[in-house]
Amino acid sequence: MVELGYLLPTREKVMGGEHDTRELLDSAREAEQLGFNSIWAGDSLLARPRHDPLTLLAAVAGALPDLYVGTAVLLPALRNPVVLAQQLATLDQLSDGKLIVGAGIAADAPSIRAEFTAAGVPFEKRVGRLMEGFRLCRALWTGEPVSWDGRWQLEDAVLAPLPKRPGGPLIWLAAGVDAGIVRAAKHFDGWFPIGPDAAEFGRRQQDFNKHTEAAGRSPQTTALYLTLAIDDNRERADQAIKGYLETYYGVPAQLMRTFQACCGGPLAEVLAFVRAYVEAGAQHLVIRCVGDHQQ
């Protein structure tokens, strides 16, 4: 059964000069009423300013205890993993074990490099920081004393509270390259790409399954991040996505659409676009709406 997630427009609200959180929580409530399974929030400090996802999702989890909450996606390398382990454990308790940590390494762009510098974190070797950081989080989530000699130094450290979910929250890795898909298959609970087209996604989904099986693991979740605009006027919908991507990322929309799954147009066409990914193996769809979210 396919599950649907709704991405809260945190970045869009901030770009529009709206910093209040009330409408975001109201949107989450409406998504629940419409039958969505999960609520998601993105992450950035300075490159694409928005609300802090963990704080916001704590409010969502408290207000809507039946829904999953997730990050799409968190940049764990920006955070000290000991602090992050405590934050995620607390949020997992607040959500009654329904936290999903979508995580990525961040794209290589000047604004994101500046964001890492501002946070006091080296941009280089961020893959290694992500991997070691989550290994440390998972060690702390056992509740046993942890001694660690790596990028971070711990001696007989014990974390509390522990997550609600044994072993810690689900972690889905955002990855578009082959090496990232292998990492997701071997070390994480799911693969969480943002594209590309359905045919190529299907091929990579099969690779993900093969690598998971080769690692001796049971099948893991494949999620997908989709950007959609509903409008009976196809050209207007396409232009809305173009303007949205260029404002959001500050680069040509044509470039973003080479690796991001986007579709704008009449409802029937958008549904056909979405179904193609479901048929290719997507199990959890996180929907980012462009334009009128009510529509």
Side-chain angles (χ1 to χ4, degrees), residues 6-10 21-32 37-41 51-70 91 94-96 98-99:
Y6 171 64
L7 182 74
L8 293 173
T10 54
T21 56
R22 189 178 305 276
E23 286 190 11
L24 293 170
L25 292 176
D26 288 344
S27 294
R29 291 189 184 94
E30 184 166 5
E32 180 188 42
N37 307 99
S38 57
I39 301 294
W40 299 76
H51 304 76
D52 172 66
L54 303 183
T55 308
L56 181 60
L57 292 174
V60 174
L64 304 172
D66 293 332
L67 294 189
Y68 280 81
V69 294
L91 182 49
L94 285 168
S95 67
D96 198 28
K98 297 185 181 72
L99 171 62

Side-chain angles (χ1 to χ4, degrees), residues 174-198:
V177 299
D178 291 343
I181 295 171
V182 173
R183 280 192 292 271
K186 288 184 175 181
H187 303 292
F188 295 97
D189 305 297
W191 174 47
F192 192 9
I194 57 176
D197 63 74

Side-chain angles (χ1 to χ4, degrees), residues 85-102:
Q86 183 193 44
Q87 292 174 320
L88 295 178
T90 301
L91 182 49
D92 196 58
Q93 285 287 348
L94 285 168
S95 67
D96 198 28
K98 297 185 181 72
L99 171 62
I100 303 170
V101 183

Side-chain angles (χ1 to χ4, degrees), residues 75-202:
L75 302 180
L78 289 175
R79 296 164 169 85
N80 179 293
V82 180
V83 177
L84 181 61
Q86 183 193 44
Q87 292 174 320
L88 295 178
T90 301
L91 182 49
D92 196 58
Q93 285 287 348
L94 285 168
S95 67
D96 198 28
K98 297 185 181 72
L99 171 62
I100 303 170
V101 183
I105 62 170
D108 189 352
S111 62
I112 295 177
R113 284 180 172 265
E115 181 174 68
F116 272 66
T117 299
V121 178
F123 186 78
E124 289 73 20
K125 298 183 179 180
R126 62 197 189 282
V127 174
R129 293 181 67 86
L130 178 147
M131 297 298 291
E132 183 183 348
F134 275 133
R135 287 197 300 271
L136 179 51
C137 284
R138 284 170 165 165
L140 290 166
W141 289 334
T142 66
E144 299 296 324
V146 175
S147 295
W148 200 268
D149 185 15
R151 289 179 174 85
W152 302 275
Q153 303 290 315
L154 286 77
E155 185 173 349
D156 293 330
V158 179
L159 181 76
L162 296 180
K164 180 76 171 183
R165 184 179 183 277
L170 297 170
I171 304 174
W172 297 350
L173 185 65
V177 299
D178 291 343
I181 295 171
V182 173
R183 280 192 292 271
K186 288 184 175 181
H187 303 292
F188 295 97
D189 305 297
W191 174 47
F192 192 9
I194 57 176
D197 63 74
E200 179 64 12
F201 167 79

Side-chain angles (χ1 to χ4, degrees), residues 171-242:
I171 304 174
W172 297 350
L173 185 65
V177 299
D178 291 343
I181 295 171
V182 173
R183 280 192 292 271
K186 288 184 175 181
H187 303 292
F188 295 97
D189 305 297
W191 174 47
F192 192 9
I194 57 176
D197 63 74
E200 179 64 12
F201 167 79
R203 184 190 69 77
R204 294 183 182 183
Q205 158 67 8
Q206 292 177 4
D207 289 343
F208 173 66
N209 289 339
K210 289 177 183 177
H211 289 301
T212 301
E213 183 178 359
R217 308 181 70 207
S218 60
Q220 304 297 309
T221 301
T222 298
L224 186 67
Y225 186 105
L226 295 174
T227 300
L228 306 176
I230 307 294
D231 194 317
D232 289 337
N233 186 311
R234 186 183 303 103
E235 181 178 353
R236 186 168 57 203
D238 197 64
Q239 285 300 311
I241 289 180
K242 178 178 183 296

